[in-house]
Each structure stands twice: as structure tokens, then as C-alpha cells.
Amino acid sequence: MALSFSRTAVSITQQYFPSKNPTTKSTFLNLLSYKPHNFSKLSTISKPNSFSLTNTKLSKNPKPKSHFQPVRSLFTGIVEEMGTVQSLGDTKDGGFDLKIVAKTVLEGVHLGDSIAVNGTCLTVTDFTNEGFTVGLSPETLRKTSLIELKTGSLVNLERAVQPVSRMGGHFVQGHVDGTGVIIEKKPEGDSLWIKVKVDKGLLKYIVPKGFIAVDGTSLTVVDVMEEEECFNFMLVAYTQQKVVIPLKEVSQKVNLEVDILGKYVERLLSSGFVDSFKGSS
């Protein structure tokens, strides 16, 4: 990026800071004695001239990079790969670990990174060249379907997005809102219809043609059946080969995360935020 300096601006600097090597004291005194200048004579944008700098040299002694890894917990719902559960169960210190064999999500992984496992944002506590380990809290086990996993189970995996990542799906936080139960699987051509029964408290946030994350997969809702307390979606042939949903049987649970925009709107309406504008008009 080029930086341009006008000759007028340079002359002003020399006028008010005449010392070749100004000290803090002299600079402060010059500022106190400063008289307003007629800036109407100055051009807001000056063309590049002999004072233009087109290249910035890097410091020979750059500051060391910080080893602190910021929390990254935003996903797109585009599954990167299916991993295989190697083991899960209680640890010696009273925790609950889940070990997963994977490949793609291990690229560039660090301790403390976030990886979505069937749509649940979890923190990497250990990793090798062949897999990684995450810890599960009691709340996670209660809220999600991960408790149903067993050795050999396949799981959807996605790393948290980076600033340069493409947003191929929708904003997924990895905060599972609840679970649904698959009540019907029906093929149509090479596609597959899936119907899921869900609690009323969660169904109100699900709308036809809206986004929903099912086991961490960004999907589009087709229909919402209020009386049946169900919604459905369709998986095309390609998606069926890349995610775990088609492998699940009727009566099995899936993790659900609704579009957060609906919850924000509900919160604003219930807080009286909209009514406050009506009263001021």
C-alpha cells in the first residue's frame, strides 16, 4: 500500500517542528505555540510525488508470534469428513472423554481448538497423527445425542471457520438446542426424505425453507407439520455419501441447532424493544 505526502504538508511539519532531532519537551512546546493554519489551501488528496513510499520493508527483528490461540466457535454446517469413534467413557479424574479417528480435521490442529462433532462444539484436549480427544461435560451428554455413540460409530466433523473460510452453509455455533428423533426415512429417486419429531419448544423456531443444523449438517427445511410436531428435509445423493444422517435408523436421535436469528427476534419482541419505538413516535 503506497503512502503519499504532499510538499505543503511537509513544509508545515518543518515549520512547527524545526528541530532536526526534536525532544519530547520541544515537541510539546511546539504544539502549545501552534497557530491555526489555513487548511483550505491544502488538497485533501495529493497525487503521488517524489515523497511517495511504494514499499515498506519488514523489520529485521519481528516480534515473536503469540502462542495464545483465540477461541474459535463458528461453523458453516458443511461437514469436512466423517470420523470414527475409537473409544468413549469415564476418565480417571472423573471426566468423560471421546476419542475419534480422523484425518482432514487434524491439519493444523492445536490443543484448545474447536471441532464440531455431530454439530456439538467441543475442545481438543489431545491429538496424535491419527486422531484427537475431546472432553464431554455432563450437560453436553444430557443435551445431545453423543451419549448414544459407541466404538465404531461414525460422526460428522468440521473445524471452526477462519477469516478466509468460505461460508458454504449458514452460521452454526455448535451449541446444540436439543435433539429430535427420526421417525421416517423415505427414498425418492436417488434422494432421501427424512422426517424428524421434535419438542414444541424447539419446533417454533423451525420454518419452511429455513436453515437448520442436523448433526452439524447445514440443511434446508422443506415442511413443518405442526400437528405432528415434525419437520422434514431431503438429502441428495452426494450429501448422503458425506454425512452420518442416512446411516441412522428410525427412532435414533439427531442433534438439532436452529437458526439463531429466530431466537434473537423472539427475545427482542418479548423484551418490549419494538414497543419502545412505537411509544416514541
Side-chain angles (χ1 to χ4, degrees), residues 169-188:
H170 71 284
F171 290 120
V172 178
Q173 295 180 297
H175 302 161
V176 176
D177 293 303
T179 58
V181 178
I182 297 175
I183 62 171
E184 183 180 82
K185 295 171 65 178
K186 183 178 179 181
E188 182 178 344

Side-chain angles (χ1 to χ4, degrees), residues 145-244:
S145 64
L146 297 182
I147 191 64
E148 296 183 350
L149 296 176
K150 56 185 179 181
T151 301
S153 294
L154 295 178
V155 289
N156 292 331
L157 301 176
E158 182 192 356
R159 289 167 294 182
V161 298
Q162 297 179 343
V164 295
S165 301
R166 297 180 65 181
M167 182 57 68
H170 71 284
F171 290 120
V172 178
Q173 295 180 297
H175 302 161
V176 176
D177 293 303
T179 58
V181 178
I182 297 175
I183 62 171
E184 183 180 82
K185 295 171 65 178
K186 183 178 179 181
E188 182 178 344
D190 62 354
S191 296
L192 181 66
W193 284 98
I194 305 285
K195 182 185 286 189
V196 179
K197 186 174 180 62
V198 64
D199 182 82
K200 283 185 177 180
L202 205 54
L203 188 65
K204 65 180 179 180
Y205 300 111
I206 303 174
V207 297
K209 306 303 181 289
F211 286 122
I212 190 167
V214 180
D215 274 346
T217 306
S218 176
L219 297 169
T220 302
V221 176
V222 177
D223 290 310
V224 176
M225 290 70 80
E226 297 287 352
E227 294 183 0
E228 299 178 56
E229 298 180 10
C230 299
F231 72 94
N232 65 2
F233 56 88
M234 178 177 277
L235 299 176
V236 297
Y238 177 82
T239 304
Q240 292 177 51
Q241 305 301 317
K242 300 297 181 181
V243 302
V244 302

Side-chain angles (χ1 to χ4, degrees), residues 104-172:
T104 301
V105 297
L106 295 178
E107 297 175 5
V109 70
H110 297 85
L111 291 178
D113 279 358
S114 296
I115 294 180
V117 180
N118 276 359
T120 308
C121 179
L122 300 173
T123 302
V124 175
T125 58
D126 190 20
F127 67 91
T128 65
N129 293 330
E130 299 179 346
F132 65 96
T133 301
V134 291
L136 301 178
S137 69
E139 176 65 10
T140 300
L141 294 172
R142 286 191 294 264
K143 196 79 172 181
T144 71
S145 64
L146 297 182
I147 191 64
E148 296 183 350
L149 296 176
K150 56 185 179 181
T151 301
S153 294
L154 295 178
V155 289
N156 292 331
L157 301 176
E158 182 192 356
R159 289 167 294 182
V161 298
Q162 297 179 343
V164 295
S165 301
R166 297 180 65 181
M167 182 57 68
H170 71 284
F171 290 120
V172 178

